[in-house]
Structures are given as structure tokens and as C-alpha cells.
Amino acid sequence: MKKIGIFFGTDTGNTENIANIIKKKLSNYDIKIFDISNATIKDIEQYQNIIFGIPTWYYGEIQCDWNDFIPNLKKINFKGKKIALFGCGDQEDYSEYFCDALYYIYKIIKKRKGECVGKWSTSGYNFTASKSLLNEKYFLGLIIDEDRQPEQTLKRVNKWVEQIIVEFR
């Protein structure tokens, strides 16, 4: 398998923790992790298999480091690249905007000709609405709720990583 780049943004540390869990699970592969606040276009362009970790803040907002990086993201040609998305959110306090930030990054990737992999079942979540739905049964990527379901995190990450390993090939 080609090398993998993980890029995350975080304010509370939750998304960084998930990125590190994913990296550990993929330790048999050539993998490197980047905080998006320190990443460059060139960092992303060197990878064919990419994982983006995007937390959603408040009322569906993109985490600030990702928001700052969006002008750069819009310059990247993702053609021939496979991108898996994961995000952190709170399905109880922000039920109407649950993990919306994934959608905004997904739109850019698709517009720039990238192939998104790693859809994730909506089963087991309780939320009102999310822009990050592929359809009523799937999210655009892995969804983690460290606030309401931290006991589900490792099981979800492990299953998702097994899935994207196959999809990255």
C-alpha cells in the first residue's frame, strides 16, 4: 500500500487523540501525522492515501485551524488520491449540526477531483441533523463523539481502520 498521511485540527485534543489512535492502528504502514496548523500544500500533495480529521464546533462550524487552511485546500488537485474523513462532534448539545464540518471538507475534495472513502454507518448515533450524511444510512466518514459515547471510540476506530485499509488499495 502507498504511504498514508494523517492531517488533523484540534482545539481540545480529542481529534488529535483519535488521529494518534488511527496512526497506531496503521503502524504496519508507512504513515506520518500532521497538525493541519503546521501543514503545507506540499505535505498533503505527497500522499495518495490521506486521512483528514475535522472536529465540528458549536453550530456546525469548522475548527479554526482547518478554517485557516481552506484556501490552501482549494488549491490542491486531489485527482488520483483517496481521502478518508473522520470527525469529532457532540450529538446531544449540537444535535442539529452533528459533525457538519466533514461536509465542507468533503465538498472541496470532490470539487478538486478526489475520491472519498471510509463512509460510516449512522447506526448507534442519536442526532437530529447532519450535513455530513452521504445518505440516511451513512456518514461521509467516521464519526466520533467523545462527549457522549467515549466507550464506543476504540471499537469504532478499529472497525473503520480495517475498512479504509481495504479501500485505500
Side-chain angles (χ1 to χ4, degrees), residues 45-60:
E45 288 177 334
Q46 69 180 311
Y47 294 95
Q48 296 303 110
N49 294 320
I50 301 166
I51 300 170
F52 285 153
I54 309 102
T56 299
W57 279 94
Y58 306 112
Y59 303 103

Side-chain angles (χ1 to χ4, degrees), residues 85-133:
L85 304 173
F86 77 91
C88 294
D90 181 336
Q91 64 191 306
E92 187 175 306
D93 289 344
Y94 299 100
S95 182
E96 300 88 13
Y97 312 95
F98 186 49
C99 289
D100 280 357
L102 264 69
Y103 169 75
Y104 301 113
I105 303 301
Y106 173 86
K107 275 189 4 182
I108 295 167
I109 293 165
K110 294 302 278 183
K111 186 174 184 176
R112 304 295 299 155
K113 309 294 185 214
E115 178 185 351
C116 288
V117 300
K119 70 182 180 181
W120 186 251
S121 175
T122 59
S123 179
Y125 297 89
N126 186 18
F127 61 98
T128 304
S130 177
K131 290 182 180 176
S132 295
L133 292 172

Side-chain angles (χ1 to χ4, degrees), residues 1-4 25-26 28-30 48-50 80-84 115-118 160-169:
M1 182 188 320
K2 298 174 179 90
K3 61 185 180 173
I4 302 169
K25 182 75 175 164
L26 291 167
N28 291 336
Y29 298 92
D30 184 4
Q48 296 303 110
N49 294 320
I50 301 166
K81 297 183 184 299
K82 294 182 180 183
I83 300 93
E115 178 185 351
C116 288
V117 300
W160 185 72
V161 168
E162 289 173 11
Q163 175 186 327
I164 65 169
I165 287 170
V166 173
E167 293 175 324
F168 275 163
R169 292 186 178 150

Side-chain angles (χ1 to χ4, degrees), residues 26-41:
L26 291 167
S27 63
N28 291 336
Y29 298 92
D30 184 4
I31 188 161
K32 190 167 180 188
I33 193 167
F34 299 83
D35 184 325
I36 200 67
S37 67
N38 300 317
T40 65
I41 292 171

